[in-house]
């Protein structure tokens, strides 16, 4: 809790600086820098000045007297916030100055996300951060990937059964719903939206007073489960190969030690409109891949999460037919007991022209002039235990009807 003095200063400053509140307080958010790369075949990969911002709901909302504007059951206090304008007068969002405390550290182009954080008394508390890629202008970095590819390296070796490290794309407002009443916007992780249409306290940065769901295009381009670090390349192919063409297929490649490895996905490495339609009978009605392609043309926000699942123990990801884990070992009570330091590491995130973001030594027939090497540190297939998966769920959701158990996580506040 801030000492009395600084709270007085915060109120005074807020009073003159901001016409209305529910706006940032005087504690400026400190975003961890995360270098990413934009690539062309001719020019190689160029470092981008980017950082990560934690979701809006992880921030503290408080009154000018430092009382909480949220209730113990995670809702917004309806006395303080009966409507948007009154809420904006009464409540402020506090800048996050300690991402380590939220389980997030970065170094150069490497992002580490912890499920739990260690407290000063030695116990662990749930952190489960969700982050978005932020540009240097305080808005989300909008990735327009039609006719392009997205590549990243991931180390999941410290994720036990039941833990999900996710990197995916969501269509969100570039400003995070910045408005008169919410001047923080993307700088404070505002505007989250996904294809599960969660009913959230906030909707595109504004108070959600009528419990409306909020739906957006989403592409789960990297929910992965493996014990070995590897690089995932996702190529968004259009009918004419250009950024303005229609999205017709998505190709996924995996590299380890700079060499392409075969996918274990039963559907193979490429997802086409036809496959999309046969996997989901409602897909065609919603425009199938082409609809996702339209979202990609508008630009989507890169999202990172680490989480577990107290209800389903993440069985859909790694148990039964889906992986080597038994049905109960994903219970978070067991995870915090046995693997309190569980974490995922994402690094070397690159996007650009197809063939520009990776180079592979073997077998692909892909020639690239990219300067972006892969940074894999392991491993031999023989180190994998029986049943270890090196698959990613290649699920493209374009509609509100998509219902992955995974996404219940995002319905919470
Ligand atoms: C809402 O905020 C008011 C003013 O701070 C407080 O008196 C009340 O107890 C809060 N209500 C809930 C449900 O937290
Ligand atoms: C940040 O949070 C961590 C973990 O809760 C804590 O150990 C550390 O002291 C905090 N750092 C600052 C500067 O407050
Ligand atoms: C979200 O908020 C922004 C900023 O206020 C606005 O420009 C945009 O139209 C909104 N988007 C939707 C889908 O409501």
């Amino acid at each position: 809790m801030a000492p009395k003095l600084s709270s007085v200063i915060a109120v005074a400053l807020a009073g003159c600086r901001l016409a209305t509140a529910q706006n940032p307080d005087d504690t400026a958010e400190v975003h961890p820098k995360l270098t990413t790369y934009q690539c062309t075949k001719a020019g190689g990969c160029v470092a981008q000045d980017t950082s990560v911002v934690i979701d809006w709901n992880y921030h503290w909302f408080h009154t000018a007297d430092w009382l909480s504007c949220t209730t113990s059951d995670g809702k917004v206090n309806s006395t303080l916030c009966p409507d948007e304008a009154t809420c904006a007068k009464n409540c402020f969002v506090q800048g996050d100055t300690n991402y380590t405390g939220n389980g997030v550290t970065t170094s150069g182009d490497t992002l580490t996300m912890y499920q739990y954080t260690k407290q000063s008394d030695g116990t662990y508390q749930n952190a489960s951060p969700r982050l978005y890629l932020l540009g240097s202008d305080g808005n989300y970095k909008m990735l327009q990937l039609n006719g392009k590819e997205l590549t990243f390296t991931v180390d999941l070796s410290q994720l036990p059964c039941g833990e999900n490290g996710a990197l995916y794309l969501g269509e969100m407002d570039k400003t995070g719903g910045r408005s008169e009443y919410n001047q923080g916007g993307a700088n404070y992780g505002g505007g989250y939206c996904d294809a599960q249409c969660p009913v959230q306290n906030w909707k595109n940065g504004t108070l959600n007073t009528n419990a409306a769901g909020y739906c957006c295009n989403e592409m789960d381009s990297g929910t992965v489960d493996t014990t070995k670090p590897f690089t995932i390349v996702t190529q968004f192919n259009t009918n004419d190969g250009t950024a303005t063409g229609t999205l017709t297929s998505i190709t996924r490649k995996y590299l380890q030690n700079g060499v392409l490895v075969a996918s274990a996905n039963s559907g193979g490495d490429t997802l086409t409109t036809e496959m999309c339609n046969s996997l989901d009978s409602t897909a065609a009605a919603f425009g199938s891949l082409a609809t996702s392609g339209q979202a990609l043309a508008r630009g989507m926000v890169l999202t990172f999460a680490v989480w577990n699942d107290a209800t389903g123990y993440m069985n859909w990801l790694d148990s039964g037919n889906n992986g080597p884990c038994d049905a109960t070992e994903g219970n978070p009570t067991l995870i915090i007991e046995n693997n309190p330091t569980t974490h995922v590491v994402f690094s070397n995130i690159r996007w650009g022209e197809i063939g520009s973001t990776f180079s592979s030594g073997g077998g692909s027939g892909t020639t690239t002039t990219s300067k972006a090497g892969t940074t894999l540190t392991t491993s031999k297939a023989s180190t994998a235990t029986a049943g270890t998966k090196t698959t990613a769920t290649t699920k493209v959701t374009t509609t509100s009807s998509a219902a992955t158990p995974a996404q219940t996580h995002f319905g919470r506040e």
Side-chain angles (χ1 to χ4, degrees):
M1 180 72 57
K4 193 89 185 169
L5 183 59
S6 63
S7 68
V8 171
I9 292 168
V11 171
L13 284 178
C16 51
R17 196 181 50 187
L18 306 163
T20 53
Q22 173 190 307
N23 281 315
D25 69 9
D26 198 44
T27 317
E29 177 104 358
V30 182
H31 300 119
K33 290 274 184 199
L34 176 68
T35 302
T36 54
Y37 304 92
Q38 236 174 314
C39 311
T40 57
K41 285 204 240 182
C45 295
V46 177
Q48 307 289 297
D49 180 9
T50 43
S51 59
V52 288
V53 57
I54 198 160
D55 182 79
W56 178 262
N57 290 300
Y58 291 66
H59 292 83
W60 191 42
F61 296 93
H62 63 88
T63 66
D65 296 329
W66 299 92
L67 299 172
S68 180
C69 286
T70 47
T71 59
S72 52
D73 62 351
K75 302 277 189 257
V76 174
N77 182 317
S78 58
T79 311
L80 295 165
C81 289
D83 58 68
E84 179 70 5
T86 310
C87 191
K89 277 201 206 92
N90 287 335
C91 295
F92 298 78
V93 55
Q94 186 180 42
D96 190 338
T97 59
N98 186 4
Y99 271 68
T100 310
N102 291 111
V104 177
T105 61
T106 61
S107 170
D109 66 10
T110 301
L111 165 68
T112 306
M113 299 173 75
Y114 291 84
Q115 175 73 43
Y116 302 104
T117 52
K118 194 171 189 173
Q119 308 303 299
S120 47
D121 65 3
T123 63
Y124 285 87
Q125 254 185 20
N126 197 36
S128 195
R130 184 168 76 221
L131 306 170
Y132 313 116
L133 189 66
L134 193 68
S136 55
D137 63 353
N139 291 324
Y140 294 129
K141 195 81 186 168
M142 302 305 278
L143 272 60
Q144 294 172 298
L145 293 175
N146 279 336
K148 302 216 167 73
E149 66 189 19
L150 171 68
T151 295
F152 61 94
T153 297
V154 61
D155 181 349
L156 302 158
S157 61
Q158 300 307 307
L159 292 183
C161 285
E163 280 291 329
N164 186 337
L167 182 154
Y168 58 102
L169 295 163
E171 188 174 18
M172 288 159 60
D173 181 68
K174 180 184 166 81
T175 72
R178 190 174 288 121
S179 68
E180 177 193 357
Y181 296 131
N182 174 4
Q183 294 170 19
N187 252 324
Y188 290 74
Y192 181 72
C193 190
D194 65 36
Q196 312 309 314
C197 308
V199 176
Q200 306 178 91
N201 290 339
W202 307 91
K203 182 167 166 278
N204 193 27
T206 60
L207 186 67
N208 186 6
T209 45
N210 57 353
Y214 186 36
C215 305
C216 296
N217 287 295
E218 169 190 340
M219 280 196 174
D220 298 327
S221 64
T223 300
V224 286
D225 170 31
T226 180
T227 57
K228 300 172 293 179
F230 57 99
T231 296
I232 299 177
V233 182
T234 311
Q235 299 175 325
F236 301 91
N237 309 303
T238 57
N239 61 336
D240 60 4
T242 72
T244 51
T246 303
L247 183 67
T248 50
S249 71
I250 298 176
T251 303
R252 175 67 60 74
K253 296 179 192 294
Y254 304 90
L255 295 104
Q256 214 144 31
N257 296 327
V259 178
L260 281 173
V261 295
S263 165
N265 260 357
S266 54
D269 275 323
T270 295
L271 181 71
T272 61
T273 300
E274 291 71 34
M275 286 166 65
C276 222
N277 294 349
S278 72
L279 289 167
D280 177 354
S281 58
T282 66
F286 289 97
S288 200
L289 270 192
T291 300
S292 294
Q294 287 157 14
L296 278 175
R298 290 188 291 266
M300 294 179 87
V301 178
L302 199 56
T303 304
F304 311 88
V306 63
W307 56 290
N308 53 33
D309 170 11
T311 314
Y313 301 164
M314 212 70 79
N315 284 346
W316 64 273
L317 179 68
D318 58 18
S319 174
N321 290 334
N322 306 317
C325 304
D326 79 35
T328 55
E329 63 190 309
N331 183 342
T333 307
L334 296 176
I335 295 174
I336 195 171
E337 209 171 289
N338 300 325
N339 298 89
T341 62
T342 176
H343 60 273
V344 61
V345 185
F346 295 108
S347 60
N348 210 351
I349 298 159
R350 290 150 280 160
W351 66 93
E353 251 180 288
I354 287 183
S356 72
T357 66
F358 71 102
S359 55
S360 65
S364 70
T366 307
T367 324
T368 115
T369 58
S370 168
K371 297 179 181 74
T374 54
T375 55
L376 293 166
T377 53
T378 63
S379 72
K380 293 248 186 332
S382 60
T383 62
T385 53
T388 297
K389 287 170 42 120
T390 47
T391 67
T393 56
T394 310
K395 184 169 188 310
V396 178
T397 46
T398 60
T399 74
S400 59
S401 65
T404 309
Q407 304 302 334
T408 55
H409 171 68
F410 299 125
R412 70 147 199 219
E413 293 302 328

